[in-house]
Amino acid sequence: MRAVVTGANRGIGLAITKLLLERGDTVSAGVRKVEAKSLKGLKEKHGDRLRVIRLDVSSESSIKEFAEKLADETIDVLFNNAGVLYEDDINNLDYEKVLYTIKVNTLGPLFLTRYLLDNLKRSERPIVVNTDSVLGSITTYSGTTSYSYSISKAALNMVTRILASDLRKYGIIVISMHPGWVRTDMGGPAAPVLPEDSASGIVKVVDSLDIENTGKFYDYTGKEIPW
């Protein structure tokens, strides 16, 4: 498998990157800081199977530059994993933080998929995985710790649905993926799911997908989630 993983320097993205490399896959890691210590040891261990490239998913120009560096590559799976979360409510909403959250969580995956479309078309089984959240599910909504995060993830669900419909003609599978409540910097120390367990489940689901699964919303155990 030849994969792109955004936000690969920590949390779920790092766990996915480690897992893929350990099983022999090739990873292009998109990170804001290419000198990230968490990836240095992996680069030393796995050599050319890990490529670390600067990427700021809040910036279209950065996304375009990232894609240009991969212009000749085939991509089998694009893990749109990079994300941001600010805890906010109606009393402390910050306009710029809401906009930034949407740039990172919603527009980042959309535009990265757009600029890597030719790379995905070269694959025999191309897949786009948009890291999502049950906090973006309108059907199951029961409260949120973040207006901006839930709004951005609900919008990402629509991105998934549109892309799945539009790219089906190319055989490209597009799904939303809830990784669980994971013990990361974002999820916090009380979260019950370890990054390694989430990553293992996500990759297992990805390995099982076919075109009939496109446009769906899953969690890391393979359970389908309502929109």
Side-chain angles (χ1 to χ4, degrees):
M1 179 191 293
R2 294 152 295 189
V4 168
V5 182
T6 67
N9 60 309
R10 62 179 184 173
I12 299 163
L14 179 60
I16 290 173
T17 299
K18 286 180 178 179
L19 177 58
L20 295 178
L21 291 170
E22 287 168 1
R23 71 178 201 172
D25 296 325
T26 299
V27 178
S28 294
V31 295
R32 285 187 298 170
K33 296 180 180 180
V34 294
E35 67 276 8
K37 291 181 180 179
S38 58
L39 294 173
K40 185 177 180 181
L42 291 179
K43 179 65 177 175
E44 292 173 353
K45 181 178 180 180
H46 298 286
D48 292 341
R49 287 197 295 106
L50 174 62
R51 187 177 180 188
V52 182
I53 307 171
R54 186 183 181 281
L55 172 64
D56 178 353
V57 295
S58 72
S59 164
E60 184 182 6
S61 61
S62 179
I63 291 171
K64 190 173 181 180
E65 288 173 9
F66 177 84
E68 287 171 350
K69 292 177 180 177
L70 296 175
D72 298 325
E73 305 291 328
T74 297
I75 297 172
D76 298 308
V77 184
L78 168 58
F79 290 94
N80 281 315
N81 171 74
V84 64
L85 183 153
Y86 297 106
E87 291 193 359
D88 53 34
D89 58 33
I90 194 64
N91 297 306
N92 68 348
L93 281 173
D94 182 290
Y95 197 87
E96 293 303 320
K97 285 183 178 179
V98 173
L99 286 179
Y100 181 72
T101 300
I102 292 171
K103 282 184 177 181
V104 173
N105 293 354
T106 310
L107 299 183
L110 174 59
F111 279 83
L112 192 57
T113 303
R114 176 255 186 271
Y115 282 113
L116 294 178
L117 184 56
D118 287 341
N119 307 75
L120 288 160
K121 287 179 181 179
R122 297 187 191 116
S123 173
E124 293 182 1
R125 184 173 164 271
I127 301 171
V128 177
V129 181
N130 293 326
T131 297
D132 214 298
S133 173
V134 290
L135 292 176
S137 170
I138 293 174
T139 302
T140 64
Y141 177 79
S142 61
T144 183
T145 58
S146 172
Y147 272 49
S148 55
Y149 186 78
S150 289
I151 290 166
S152 71
K153 292 302 186 180
L156 180 60
N157 278 333
M158 181 56 80
V159 168
T160 294
R161 294 286 285 176
I162 294 171
L163 287 176
S165 176
D166 194 28
L167 304 185
R168 187 183 181 109
K169 58 182 175 286
Y170 303 120
I172 298 175
I173 302 163
V174 186
I175 65 165
S176 284
M177 171 63 69
H178 170 56
W181 180 17
V182 185
R183 200 175 304 167
T184 62
D185 290 343
M186 183 182 291
V193 182
L194 295 176
E196 296 77 14
D197 293 335
S198 177
S200 178
I202 290 168
V203 172
K204 185 177 180 181
V205 172
V206 169
D207 285 343
S208 71
L209 295 174
D210 60 36
I211 196 64
E212 297 309 311
N213 302 116
T214 196
K216 295 185 177 181
F217 187 6
Y218 295 100
D219 74 6
Y220 75 104
T221 69
K223 178 183 176 182
E224 191 170 350
I225 299 173
W227 299 108

